[in-house]
Amino acid sequence: MFQWLWTAVWSAVMLPLGAALIVGRVPPWMRRQSTPGGLKVKGIAAFVLYAGLMVPPLTTLSGMRPEDADLVRMVLVPMAVFSGHGLVLGATLCERFNRRAMERAGLPDLSATSANGLPEHRGSAR
């Protein structure tokens, strides 16, 4: 029962979150804090976390032998969790370092949003 509940709730939360981050459909406060590229990386991290944390219930539901399921969980779950969190941390640090470099150079802060609140450069690199 828990495995089905976990699968349903985790899918209902993480799949729309990851898709929204990749597309750039996030609240205005999040657009002000991140660049479009940073949001895309965070969306990919959400999908990595989704895939990694779906391993335990899927190995239980698939009927794998307990020894094999434990080995798969032991390898895949920590790898996915560390990879997902590493992507989020890397995107956040990159945005912070770029913002500081722009401040030191005296360049104006280029906001990721336009006057109507939507990203100005959707899907293109600056």
Side-chain angles (χ1 to χ4, degrees), residues 61-103:
L61 291 171
S62 69
M64 291 176 74
R65 289 186 345 196
E67 298 85 15
D68 296 337
D70 287 343
L71 180 65
V72 170
R73 286 184 208 132
M74 187 175 59
V75 172
L76 292 181
V77 173
M79 183 175 62
V81 169
F82 285 122
S83 298
H85 285 92
L87 285 169
V88 171
L89 180 63
T92 304
L93 284 175
C94 184
E95 290 168 351
R96 184 174 295 169
F97 291 149
N98 288 340
R99 192 174 301 127
R100 282 189 183 167
M102 286 176 44
E103 288 172 0

Side-chain angles (χ1 to χ4, degrees), residues 1-9 57 60-61:
M1 174 69 182
F2 173 76
Q3 287 82 14
W4 289 109
L5 184 64
W6 176 264
T7 302
V9 171
T60 303
L61 291 171

